[in-house]
Amino acid sequence: SSDVCSSDLVGLALGLAAIGAGFSQAAIGSAAVGMLAEDGSKFGVALIFTALPESIVILGALPLFLGGN
């Protein structure tokens, strides 16, 4: 039988959120390093932009806590 249970879908949601965050982290990280190379005083802005994709993974983990039986 090929029944898909809710835990499979929750795992898929978390995995896809992590992959999406990884792709965006690569682009944002390289842009932040370039920005810091030009102006080192913008470290705080670069740190915030680098941390933003991690919130995507946190939102992807919400079905772990909200869904279920």
Side-chain angles (χ1 to χ4, degrees):
S1 170
S2 64
D3 293 337
V4 176
C5 62
S6 64
S7 63
D8 293 337
L9 295 176
V10 169
L12 180 65
L14 183 57
L16 290 175
I19 289 171
F23 281 128
S24 63
Q25 188 79 26
I28 291 172
S30 63
V33 169
M35 181 178 67
L36 285 175
E38 291 182 5
D39 186 5
S41 67
K42 295 185 178 182
F43 178 75
V45 175
L47 187 64
I48 290 171
F49 283 150
T50 307
L52 280 176
E54 301 303 323
S55 63
I56 296 172
V57 177
I58 293 170
L59 290 175
L62 279 179
L64 288 171
F65 304 109
L66 297 178
N69 299 327

